[in-house]
Amino acid sequence: MVRGFIDCHCHLSANEFTQDIDDVLLRAKKAGVNALVAVTEGASEFEKVIQLSKTYPGFVFPCFGIHPLQGSGQDLHSVKLQIGLDFTPWFAKTTQELDEQTKVFIKQLEISKELDLPVNVHSRSAAKVTIATMKELGIRQALLHNFAGKPSVAMEGVRAGFCFSFPPAVSKNEQRAKLIRQIPVEHICLETDSPALGMDKHVRNEPGNIKICCDYIAKVKGLSSDVVMEVTTQNALRLFSKLKT
C-alpha cells in the first residue's frame, strides 16, 4: 500500500505563507504529505516556486500557469501548466473578457501539449466550456481542481480521462458530496488549495490539512481512508509523472 498523501493543488507562494513556510512544510510532512504541487497565479510567482522546489527537492514540485483573473499580457513562453477559466459574473462581465480568458486558456493548453505536460485547471462557472475546450484540443492529462460543475459535466471529463480534486471546504457542501459520489475514485485526487478553502474561511488553510479531504471522500464513497489515500496518490503519480522522480 502507498503510504502518504499528495497535495495536487496548493499555493505555497501566497503571501500568507511568507513568514513561516518552513514550519508549514514541516507540519505537512508530519501529517503524511509526500509531495506538493505548488501552483502559481501569475508569472511574478514563478521564481518563488522555483526556489521552494530547490530548497525542498522531491517534495515541492512547481506548477506554472496564469490564473484567468490575472489577465492577458503576461509572458506565456515559460508557462508549463495552466489554471483555466473563471466565468463568475462579477469577474467576467463582458463578452470581450470571456473571449480573452478563453484565448489565454487555449494558449496555455497548447503549450502543455507542446511540452507534453499535464494541466492543473481552475474552472469556476465554466465547467462545460472548460471540459469541451480541453477535449477539442486533445488534452488527455488534466486535473480539474475544486470542481463544482454538474455531475453530468464531470462525467464528460471522466470519459475523457480527466481527474478531479476537492479541498477541505467541500466537506461542508452537500451538493459537492453528490458530485463526489458519482466520480469514480480512480479519477479523484486530493488537494488543499491552501491557504484558501479550509474548514474555516477565517483561518489559514495548510497542506497539512490534506487528511480532511481524504477522510471526507472516504466517508462519502463508503471506503476506508487508507484506500482513498492509496488510490488518490496513485492517481496523482499517474497524472503528474514527474512526481515519481
Side-chain angles (χ1 to χ4, degrees), residues 74-237:
Q74 297 201 47
D75 182 8
L76 295 179
H77 80 277
S78 60
V79 173
K80 294 182 179 178
L81 305 173
Q82 57 72 51
I83 307 186
L85 297 174
D86 195 318
F87 288 177
T88 313
W90 52 88
F91 287 127
K93 298 178 181 178
T94 68
T95 300
Q96 182 179 354
E97 289 173 329
L98 298 180
D99 289 345
E100 191 59 48
Q101 277 195 34
T102 304
K103 287 178 183 177
V104 174
F105 181 45
I106 290 173
K107 178 62 176 176
Q108 293 184 84
L109 290 175
E110 289 172 342
I111 292 171
S112 76
K113 287 186 67 176
E114 179 183 337
L115 299 176
D116 192 24
L117 290 170
V119 290
N120 201 327
V121 181
H122 170 100
S123 168
R124 187 160 61 173
S125 300
K128 193 170 183 179
V129 175
T130 299
I131 289 176
T133 301
M134 291 195 295
K135 288 174 64 177
E136 284 176 22
L137 290 176
I139 300 298
R140 294 288 179 265
Q141 298 287 91
L143 175 73
L144 288 108
H145 102 94
N146 189 28
F147 189 79
K150 295 179 180 178
S152 60
V153 177
M155 294 313 293
E156 282 291 313
V158 168
R159 286 188 284 272
F162 303 155
C163 287
F164 301 80
S165 60
F166 306 93
V170 303
S171 61
K172 296 183 176 182
N173 187 323
E174 181 56 33
Q175 285 300 114
R176 210 70 67 89
K178 294 177 181 178
L179 177 63
I180 291 170
R181 286 190 193 100
Q182 292 208 22
I183 298 174
V185 70
E186 292 79 13
H187 288 265
I188 293 178
C189 292
L190 302 179
E191 66 156 297
T192 60
D193 201 21
S194 51
L197 297 185
M199 295 296 288
D200 184 341
K201 66 180 180 179
H202 300 296
V203 177
R204 183 185 68 175
N205 189 19
E206 295 186 5
N209 293 328
I210 195 78
K211 192 174 186 299
I212 296 173
C213 318
C214 180
D215 290 347
Y216 180 68
I217 290 168
K219 178 182 177 182
V220 168
K221 298 191 79 64
L223 300 170
S224 72
S225 292
D226 280 348
V227 166
V228 171
M229 174 181 64
E230 179 179 16
V231 175
T232 55
T233 294
Q234 292 289 6
N235 294 343
L237 292 173

